[in-house]
Amino acid sequence: MIRLGVLISGRGSNLGAILKAIGNDRLKARVVTVASDRPAAGLTTAKQDGIPSTWFNRKQLGQEEFEELLVAHLQDFEVDFVVLAGFMRLLSSKFLAEFPDRVVNIHPSLLPAFPGVDAQKQALEYGVKVSGCTVHFVDEGMDTGPIIAQAAVPVHPDDDEESLKTRILKAEHLLYPHALNLLATGKVSRLGRIVHVEER
Ligand code: GRF
């Protein structure tokens, strides 16, 4: 069973969806630790499920020391994949080199459209009629890594940021466990930027 280390910065609803999918056997994996860069609300979700969780004070430590502690922590727990679920920090190439092809993220838009913060607001302001979410491998850029899976979500004429966020989040909660299960069951391979998924 593959071992996931989940990194969060906020409420952790994607973490909750991952744990639920594991509980329902839709995701064949284990969350072995949850870590954060701040005292995130989602750490409580982890604790309630009896998962070792911790946070390292990124503000006080600075990027380099923070990442060193995080790498050591994730290695202590022998994680196979590092799963970013609302983790709001860019990771350095030094960090990524410790987990090659093993760091994944979910982003609330159909990348490469609308990377970075406020993706749903960007989508509304641009006037797209379809947006969605993307699970991708993480590289040094901002939401630029090879794409593993995407789900499209309609944008309605009367949407505001909140309603669009809610609709996309619902899709995220299905897509992330699905994509992680593809990784967990060895159905994902990568050649350059192109990710091949064996869906059977
Ligand atoms: C999600 O919209 C995710 O796509 C983005 O940050 C948000 C995190 O939400 N990267 P949650 O903490 O999982 O509820």
Side-chain angles (χ1 to χ4, degrees), residues 10-15 85-88 105-108 120 169 172-173:
R11 78 199 140 177
S13 73
N14 275 290
L15 167 67
F87 182 68
M88 298 304 282
N105 181 42
I106 189 157
H107 181 75
Q120 304 90 336
L169 196 62
E172 291 183 45
H173 292 167

